[in-house]
């Protein structure tokens, strides 16, 4: 990673809140302010506020914007209404996942791609390769900050802080709003499995927005939450993490997000390879699993069956909601299809785990 | 800094309490538990296991990761804290009391002299 010790505008605020700071892909980010489990519970029961300004934003603008976005993503946005977002992988020619992103469509000539912070340079370079003269690509990652309000009471926080209109946005819709001097893009999106909102703000107003949200959220006990809770929340919700669960060597078909690959749309990068893979069948498949009893799975633990290694863990943690170890990984296809009872090899001992559907928990999300 | 006097400390953040002539009760320091975060599982050594000072003898898992805990002294494990099986958070709540890990029958109580005092340990933590 070339860039090191990058800070979001909220770095000093996090330090003053006595957050434990960790390096995340070159960014100094808050891991936890209090404890991961209590922050996790705040989000599941109430609401939490996250600084996720490390995320990247690429603005694609011009007459050729739709064509370019359609070419680089596997999902189909041709019927996506204005001011709605969509999830999609970006694949290379071999179908390997270069990134998984959220596409925000302002109109046919303007999109914002929200990308993973570890992939900012790679994505910019990749997308530029396919751009024509009638499109402009602007990497706004260093100008735009991003805050997330997540949890069953996030709607109330947003209503008090940003107004009624924002608080009634439909799931995956977004709008632009001016609050005081702040020009914001507010979306009903998130990475926790709860109802929630994400707010894009210029760096210059990021700290003001953070403070305002905490102030307006005081009565409902809105609490700052760190990347630690973000990870346990996304795992319980069944969301993949780029770099752990997916990367350039894994295709969307194997990763269990085949629904994001629309073979019927116009040509897109990776289509031929993915079609071939679909035709000849997959060897390995993504699975989510839950420990039967003891053991906390971790990245790179082996997944075994009758003492044979049949796969590998890509993410694992202790689930605060279920009070048990949960994880993701890849196994040989037949074990995934039969929802087998497998073992996770932790420090040389095999602990039984059941392959399950995601999400791990029942999410009561207001749409 | 919360490090009781009279205990021995290691650079790897374990504490030792000498009990009787040759018994050592061990655990991790308040500083260590705070760095680890929520402790959700403790894998204790089997009884009668012979451990060597400086080698891993216990695993503590927080939400984020698993950490090795090293035996501060050599000897035989004669007791472990079974309370931790159902209440691993005792390590966070009461690291020097109910959150203890095991009792080692020391092979050589002289090893204790190589460990740190609470003052030395506090200095070590602050210099980081």
């Amino acid at each position: 990673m070339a860039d090191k010790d990058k800070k979001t505008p909220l770095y000093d605020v996090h330090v003053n809140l006595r957050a434990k700071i960790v390096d995340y892909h070159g960014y100094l980010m808050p891991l936890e302010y209090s404890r991961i489990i209590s922050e996790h519970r705040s989000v599941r029961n109430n609401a939490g506020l996250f600084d996720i300004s490390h995320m990247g934003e690429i603005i694609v603008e011009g007459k050729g914007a739709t064509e370019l976005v359609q070419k680089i993503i596997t999902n189909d946005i041709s019927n996506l209404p204005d001011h709605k977002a969509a999830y999609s992988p970006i694949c290379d020619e071999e179908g390997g996942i270069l990134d998984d992103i959220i596409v925000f469509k302002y109109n046919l000539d303007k999109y914002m791609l929200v990308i993973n912070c570890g992939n900012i340079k790679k994505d910019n370079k990749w997308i530029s390769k396919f751009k024509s003269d009638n499109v402009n690509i602007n990497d706004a990652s260093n100008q735009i900050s991003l805050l997330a309000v997540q949890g069953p009471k996030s709607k109330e926080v947003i209503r008090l802080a940003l107004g009624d209109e924002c608080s009634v946005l439909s799931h995956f819709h977004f709008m632009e709003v001016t609050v005081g001097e702040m020009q914001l893009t507010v979306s009903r999106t998130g990475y926790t499995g709860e109802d929630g909102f994400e707010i894009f703000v210029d760096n210059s107003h990021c700290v003001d927005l953070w403070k305002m949200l905490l102030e307006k959220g005081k009565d409902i006990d809105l609490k700052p939450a760190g990347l630690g809770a973000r990870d346990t929340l996304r795992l319980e919700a069944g969301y993949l993490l780029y770099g752990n669960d997916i990367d350039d060597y894994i295709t969307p078909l194997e990763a269990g997000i085949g629904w994001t690959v629309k073979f019927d749309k116009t040509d897109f990068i990776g289509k031929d390879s993915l079609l071939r893979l679909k035709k000849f069948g997959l060897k390995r498949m993504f699975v989510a699993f839950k420990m039967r009893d003891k053991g906390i799975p971790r990245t790179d633990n082996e997944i075994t069956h009758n003492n044979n290694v049949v796969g590998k863990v890509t993410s694992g943690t202790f689930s605060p909601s279920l009070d048990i170890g949960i994880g993701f990984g890849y196994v040989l296809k037949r074990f995934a299809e039969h929802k087998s009872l497998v073992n996770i090899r932790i420090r040389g001992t095999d602990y039984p785990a059941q392959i399950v559907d995601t999400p791990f928990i029942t999410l009561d999300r207001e749409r | 800094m919360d490090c009781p006097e009279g205990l021995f400390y290691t650079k790897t953040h374990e504490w030792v309490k000498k009990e009787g002539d040759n018994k050592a009760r061990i655990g991790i320091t308040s500083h260590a538990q705070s760095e680890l975060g929520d402790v959700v599982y403790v894998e204790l050594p089997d009884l009668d296991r012979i451990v060597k000072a400086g080698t891993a003898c216990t695993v503590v898992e927080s939400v984020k990761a698993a950490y090795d805990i090293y035996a501060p002294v050599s000897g035989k494990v004669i007791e472990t804290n079974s309370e931790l099986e159902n209440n691993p958070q005792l390590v966070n709540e009461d690291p020097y009391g109910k959150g203890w890990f095991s009792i080692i029958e020391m092979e050589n109580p002289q090893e204790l002299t190589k460990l740190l005092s609470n003052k030395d340990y506090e200095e070590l933590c602050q210099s980081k």
Side-chain angles (χ1 to χ4, degrees), chain A residues 271-286:
Chain A
K271 184 177 182 176
D272 294 345
S273 300
L274 291 168
L275 264 178
R276 225 175 302 127
L277 186 65
K278 192 181 174 189
K279 192 173 155 197
F280 292 112
L282 309 171
K283 275 188 180 164
R284 55 177 180 177
M285 275 173 79
F286 173 86

Side-chain angles (χ1 to χ4, degrees), chain A residues 62-349:
Chain A
K63 287 284 166 223
T66 299
E67 201 187 334
L68 176 62
V69 174
Q70 281 283 63
K71 187 171 176 64
I72 60 159
I73 68 170
T74 61
N75 207 341
D76 185 5
I77 50 153
S78 59
N79 291 319
L80 190 69
D82 289 358
H83 289 100
K84 193 167 182 196
Y87 173 76
S88 179
I90 296 179
C91 286
D92 61 20
E93 304 286 2
E94 281 75 48
I97 304 173
L98 291 173
D99 202 354
D100 66 329
I101 70 170
I102 309 280
V103 178
F104 284 68
K105 180 183 180 184
Y106 287 84
N107 55 56
L108 276 174
D109 299 336
K110 185 181 176 187
Y111 295 86
M112 174 169 65
L113 313 181
V114 179
I115 63 178
N116 285 294
C117 80
N119 294 334
I120 293 174
K121 277 187 185 153
K122 179 174 80 175
D123 289 356
N124 271 289
K125 205 170 151 192
W126 180 256
I127 296 165
S128 301
K129 253 172 76 168
F130 303 96
K131 100 176 215 21
S132 48
D133 290 340
N134 58 357
V135 194
N136 277 315
I137 296 167
N138 172 24
D139 178 11
S141 304
N142 288 331
Q143 286 104 59
I144 299 178
S145 291
L146 180 54
L147 302 185
V149 181
Q150 301 280 301
K153 291 190 182 159
S154 55
K155 183 180 174 179
E156 183 61 8
V157 178
I158 295 301
R159 190 181 67 79
L160 292 169
L162 309 179
D164 287 341
E165 216 185 331
C166 290
S167 72
V168 296
L169 277 165
S170 299
H171 189 57
F172 260 71
H173 283 256
F174 69 95
M175 62 183 283
E176 291 152 281
V177 65
T178 304
V179 179
E181 287 181 2
M182 301 186 284
Q183 287 182 319
L184 311 171
T185 294
V186 183
S187 64
R188 197 136 193 189
T189 49
Y191 193 50
T192 61
E194 294 297 327
D195 185 20
F197 298 79
E198 292 176 309
I199 310 162
F200 298 86
V201 57
D202 189 86
N203 282 353
S204 58
H205 289 122
C206 176
V207 174
D208 292 342
L209 177 63
W210 171 275
K211 286 183 176 157
M212 194 256 260
L213 289 166
L214 277 183
E215 175 61 31
K216 299 283 185 186
K218 219 174 178 174
D219 290 342
I220 68 112
D221 211 20
L222 175 70
K223 286 266 169 47
L227 292 191
R230 188 168 156 85
D231 194 51
T232 53
L233 289 158
R234 69 97 188 167
L235 265 156
E236 285 184 352
Y239 296 146
L240 306 174
L241 174 63
Y242 195 89
N244 273 46
D245 309 310
I246 45 175
D247 59 34
D248 310 34
Y249 299 100
I250 296 167
T251 65
L253 305 181
E254 296 162 303
I257 48 171
W259 63 272
T260 63
V261 181
K262 302 287 163 56
F263 289 113
D264 292 342
K265 76 165 183 170
T266 50
D267 199 28
F268 61 92
I269 299 163
K271 184 177 182 176
D272 294 345
S273 300
L274 291 168
L275 264 178
R276 225 175 302 127
L277 186 65
K278 192 181 174 189
K279 192 173 155 197
F280 292 112
L282 309 171
K283 275 188 180 164
R284 55 177 180 177
M285 275 173 79
F286 173 86
V287 287
F289 59 86
K290 188 162 130 185
M291 304 310 290
R292 272 285 178 88
D293 177 25
K294 267 191 210 168
I296 300 168
R298 304 290 183 186
T299 305
D300 290 338
N301 284 161
E302 287 172 335
I303 302 174
T304 66
H305 187 265
N306 288 339
N307 254 326
N308 297 313
V309 176
V310 298
K312 205 170 177 187
V313 174
T314 53
S315 284
T317 194
F318 172 83
S319 159
S321 303
L322 298 173
D323 208 23
I324 207 160
I326 58 170
F328 297 157
Y330 288 85
V331 295
L332 296 172
K333 190 182 165 193
R334 64 177 185 279
F335 295 99
E337 283 175 342
H338 296 141
K339 292 237 162 19
S340 307
L341 183 66
V342 292
N343 292 300
I344 309 300
R345 191 162 286 172
I346 302 167
R347 295 184 288 279
T349 304

Side-chain angles (χ1 to χ4, degrees), chain A residues 20 35 37 298 317 347, chain B residues 34-35 38 43 61-63:
Chain A
K20 201 174 287 173
R35 284 277 163 82
I37 293 177
R298 304 290 183 186
T317 194
R347 295 184 288 279
Chain B
S34 158
E35 287 292 305
D38 288 307
E43 192 176 283
E61 298 224 28
S62 74
V63 177

Side-chain angles (χ1 to χ4, degrees), chain A residues 348-366:
Chain A
T349 304
D350 285 354
Y351 294 89
Q354 181 64 52
I355 292 174
V356 296
D357 291 325
T358 56
F360 285 97
I361 57 167
T362 315
L363 299 168
D364 184 21
R365 194 160 46 193
E366 197 176 334

